[in-house]
């Protein structure tokens, strides 16, 4: 783990996902550092663009591929705008990994529901790829994914692979349909009508805008999924990642050290969490 | 700890020698306020004559010697489309003279926050280890409430602590470095009379507090009163200027930013002390603000100070110096806010029906 001095990385590939989001693939330059770098699904890195600053970004890639660190980044501030100007081959740096992770081992032998809203698919892609790589260890896997508009939907080019090769039960919905959209329209909670779950044997992972958490988690709660089996990834602005700057504090909890992954029971006990 | 006494003239000689050989800061009168009262600040001192040993309080705390308002975390050098990062933890040794017990307690709290937990701060550690602290006891101002938080005395976190017992100082020597320095000067064993004078001095200090704030049970109070209208009331007064955090001896929240050099050949990553009362403190990329209202942010500061952050400082981090109250442009101070909060609860208690009589 690197807390002050980052791992120096080259951008090896940039995939344009939408007008506002790109997938950056990074490779740690030093081969020794590359061989020891590890992370768990749900953790984040502080992505540094020297001269501009650093931002906390969830890792969207596979934990098994140390050759490539993947970030799905939305252009939202001056650091991410600078990153969007970068070309393949550019050098950036990452500190971390920081924070808690989704309990993938604990979820083994269970069904898993992943609920993503908008950019929330970015942190959920890491556990999804984990499940894909260890597919036999998990029961039924549902991915419910909602976006504002069809053109804002991310990773659509991987949907078929997830569905057909990895047997993920994938459902999508948009709030505002565009011409050519033949799928469902409405709020993400409507997708729960399309799946049947066995609450006693199911884990849930939820990530999306703050307004989505309560609706989705309340629904899952009513379905009978225990609160300690529902996991959410919270968003905050971290400046240090180490529980020192206090920018990500929620109540008495540091989102960067104790989170960003929390079980829903813990979140309910955190004032201002969502 | 070793206890000695030293005459005031000899103490002045010792301090004179100390500050002439080291980069030193002590309380100095820098101005007078509107009422003609002296304004003190910690400033560089080169001789004992410059130090106001009988000062009341400095407007800013000694925190900034360990946590500068702006500090460089690392430097980037750009060349040929590439860059390199340089990180250093070097600082000059420093002597701080005349810190009050609550100021030393505040540093102990910062130690707990910044040197414990998962990731100790190497920047803070470098400064802390190279800072020699001489503390002095003092009589409280009318609005000090350090006693309510038990920070009117201190037993750790300094090299040397001096208690004024008339024509002498009663010294508590807490490090071999301090003892080695002092051996060169005229220190003596405390007599029974000196011990009595120290006890009387401590009693006098304890009895001189005119302000008290009831902080017992405050953590749960704050949780229960999370949605209290009290926060909106005080939030409406708050100007969101962040002055309270700047003068506070324990506020350590910060912001980081990159500052490119004017020739664009390099860049400096800096941390800058921040305040949770500033409007963008909890704002995330894209503009969503988790604490958009004044009252939310004010409440958060009280949460941090009196409920305690669990991870690094499972304690109340206010030391009761009331610098925030004195500096606040909107006349908000911890005593009034906490009393307001408690009064609301106490008035609710009167609504509770009496217990049934025993039959």
């Amino acid at each position: 783990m690197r807390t002050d001095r980052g791992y120096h990385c080259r951008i090896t590939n940039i995939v344009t996902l939408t007008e506002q989001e790109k997938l950056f693939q990074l490779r740690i330059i030093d081969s020794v550092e590359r061989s020891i770098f590890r992370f768990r699904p749900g953790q984040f890195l502080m992505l540094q663009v020297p001269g501009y600053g650093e931002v906390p970004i969830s890792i969207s890639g596979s934990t098994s591929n140390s050759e490539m660190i993947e970030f799905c980044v939305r252009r939202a501030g001056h650091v991410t705008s600078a990153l969007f100007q970068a070309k393949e081959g550019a050098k950036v740096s990452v500190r971390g990994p920081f924070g808690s992770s989704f309990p993938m081992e604990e979820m083994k032998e269970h069904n898993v529901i992943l609920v993503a809203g908008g950019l929330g698919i970015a942190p959920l892609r890491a556990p999804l790829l984990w499940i894909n790589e260890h597919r036999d260890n998990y029961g039924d896997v549902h991915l419910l994914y909602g976006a504002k508009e069809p053109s804002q939907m991310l990773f659509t080019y991987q949907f078929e692979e997830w569905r057909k090769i990895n047997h993920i039960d994938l459902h999508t919905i948009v709030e505002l349909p565009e011409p050519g959209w033949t799928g469902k329209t409405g709020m993400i909670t409507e997708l729960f009508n399309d799946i049947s779950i066995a609450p006693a044997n199911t884990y849930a992972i939820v990530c999306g805008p703050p307004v989505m958490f309560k609706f989705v988690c309340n629904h899952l709660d009513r379905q009978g999924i225990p609160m300690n089996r529902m996991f959410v990834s919270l968003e905050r602005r971290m400046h240090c990642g180490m529980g020192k700057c206090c920018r990500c504090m929620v109540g008495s909890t540091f989102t960067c050290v104790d989170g960003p992954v929390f079980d829903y029971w813990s979140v309910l006990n955190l004032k201002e969490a969502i | 700890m070793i206890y000695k006494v030293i005459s005031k003239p000899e103490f002045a000689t010792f301090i004179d020698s100390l500050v002439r050989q080291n980069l030193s800061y002590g309380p100095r009168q820098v101005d007078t306020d509107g009422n003609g009262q002296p304004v003190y600040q910690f400033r560089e001192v080169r001789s004992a004559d410059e130090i106001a040993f009988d000062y009341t309080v400095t407007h800013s705390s000694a925190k900034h010697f360990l946590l500068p308002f702006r500090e460089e975390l690392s430097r980037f050098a750009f060349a040929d489309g590439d860059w390199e990062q340089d990180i250093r933890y070097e600082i000059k040794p420093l002597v701080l003279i005349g810190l009050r017990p609550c100021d030393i307690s505040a540093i102990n709290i910062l130690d707990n926050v910044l040197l414990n937990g998962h990731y100790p701060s190497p920047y803070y550690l470098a400064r802390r280890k190279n800072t020699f602290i001489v503390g002095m006891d003092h009589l409280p101002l009318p609005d000090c409430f350090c006693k309510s938080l038990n920070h009117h005395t201190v037993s750790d976190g300094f090299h040397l602590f001096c208690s004024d017992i008339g024509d002498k100082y009663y010294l508590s020597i807490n490090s071999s470095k301090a003892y080695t320095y002092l051996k060169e000067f005229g220190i003596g064993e405390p007599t029974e009379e000196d011990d009595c004078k120290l006890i009387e001095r401590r009693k006098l200090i304890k009895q001189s507090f005119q302000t008290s704030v009831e902080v017992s049970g405050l953590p749960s109070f704050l949780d229960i009163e999370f949605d209290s209208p009290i926060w909106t009331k005080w939030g409406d007064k708050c100007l969101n200027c962040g002055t309270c955090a700047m003068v506070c001896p324990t506020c350590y929240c910060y912001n980081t930013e990159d500052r490119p050099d004017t020739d664009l050949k390099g860049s400096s990553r800096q941390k800058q002390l921040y305040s949770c009362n500033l409007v963008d403190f909890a704002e995330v990329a894209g503009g969503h603000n988790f604490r958009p209202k004044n009252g939310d942010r004010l409440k958060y500061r009280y949460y941090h100070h009196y409920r305690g952050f669990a991870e690094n400082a499972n304690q109340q981090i206010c030391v009761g110096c009331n610098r925030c109250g004195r500096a606040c442009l909107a006349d908000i101070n911890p005593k009034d806010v906490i009393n307001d909060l408690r009064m609301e609860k106490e008035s609710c208690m009167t609504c509770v029906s009496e217990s049934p009589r025993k039959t």
Side-chain angles (χ1 to χ4, degrees), chain B residues 62 66 99-113 124 128 133 135 146-147 149-158 161 249-250 315-321 323:
Chain B
L66 301 166
L99 267 61
R100 297 146 57 107
C102 59
D103 284 345
I104 297 171
S105 285
I107 292 173
N108 290 340
I109 288 168
L110 289 177
D111 287 355
N112 192 21
V113 170
Y124 180 85
R128 184 68 169 110
I133 293 177
C146 330
K147 189 164 147 281
L149 289 137
N150 213 20
H151 289 305
H152 60 297
T153 60
V154 67
S155 56
D156 202 7
F158 52 83
F161 192 85
T250 59
Q315 58 175 321
Q316 298 183 340
I317 66 166
C318 174
V319 295
C321 68
R323 283 190 175 93

Side-chain angles (χ1 to χ4, degrees), chain A residues 1 3-10 48-54 76-77 91-93 95 97-99 210 235-237 239-254 257-258 271-274, chain B residues 76 78 82-87 89 113-114 116 118-123 223 226 252-256 258 260 267 269 274 280-286 288 290-291 296 299-300 303-304 307-312:
Chain A
M1 163 176 277
T3 56
D4 286 334
R5 200 180 302 272
Y7 294 103
H8 293 186
C9 303
R10 293 259 177 233
Q48 311 188 65
V49 185
Y52 292 89
E54 57 179 354
K91 188 169 129 187
V92 291
S93 168
R95 288 195 298 128
F98 294 115
E235 182 194 9
R236 284 295 186 281
R237 179 67 161 268
H239 279 249
C240 69
M242 301 181 285
K244 297 285 184 276
C245 74
C246 301
R247 297 299 291 269
C248 68
M249 285 299 301
V250 184
S252 290
T253 301
F254 288 95
V257 179
D258 305 311
K271 312 275 190 187
E272 298 178 341
I274 50 177
Chain B
F76 294 93
F78 305 125
D82 198 359
W83 55 262
E84 285 304 321
Q85 186 181 17
D86 184 28
I87 301 179
Y89 308 117
V113 170
L114 297 166
N116 295 337
H118 293 284
Y119 311 104
S121 163
Y123 304 95
D223 269 352
F226 193 83
Y252 57 88
C253 302
Y254 67 85
N255 187 57
T256 54
D258 279 27
S267 174
R269 175 154 300 153
Y274 222 64
D280 64 341
F281 188 81
E283 192 175 85
V284 293
H288 180 75
F290 283 91
R291 284 185 216 109
D296 294 341
K299 173 171 63 182
Y300 177 79
Y303 243 71
H304 189 175
R307 191 183 184 282
F309 281 171
E311 180 66 27
N312 283 331

Side-chain angles (χ1 to χ4, degrees), chain A residues 212-243:
Chain A
M212 192 194 90
F213 283 112
K214 274 183 192 165
F215 290 106
V216 169
C217 292
N218 282 346
H219 183 91
L220 292 169
D221 183 34
R222 283 198 300 274
Q223 293 282 309
I225 296 180
M227 287 184 179
N228 61 353
R229 285 195 183 173
M230 275 184 243
F231 293 90
V232 299
S233 180
L234 299 187
E235 182 194 9
R236 284 295 186 281
R237 179 67 161 268
M238 292 91 162
H239 279 249
C240 69
M242 301 181 285

Side-chain angles (χ1 to χ4, degrees), chain A residues 128-162:
Chain A
L128 182 67
L129 292 176
W130 170 288
I131 290 170
N132 287 348
E133 288 164 11
H134 307 83
R135 189 64 188 88
D136 294 343
N137 291 336
Y138 299 90
D140 294 340
V141 179
H142 307 277
L143 171 60
L144 311 182
Y145 180 26
K148 196 117 189 157
E149 296 167 4
S151 58
Q152 292 177 1
M153 210 155 247
L154 307 171
F155 302 111
T156 47
Y157 61 95
Q158 294 193 317
F159 283 3
E160 279 312 292
E161 179 192 339
W162 292 348

Side-chain angles (χ1 to χ4, degrees), chain B residues 231-273:
Chain B
W231 300 117
T232 310
K233 175 187 155 186
W234 289 98
D236 286 346
K237 290 185 78 171
C238 177
L239 300 170
N240 303 285
C241 63
T243 304
C244 48
M246 295 307 117
V247 297
C248 174
T250 59
C251 276
Y252 57 88
C253 302
Y254 67 85
N255 187 57
T256 54
E257 61 181 13
D258 279 27
R259 295 191 143 202
D261 298 344
T262 46
D263 61 6
L264 302 180
K265 288 180 180 170
S267 174
S268 168
R269 175 154 300 153
Q270 301 185 350
K271 82 178 226 194
Q272 171 193 314
L273 291 183

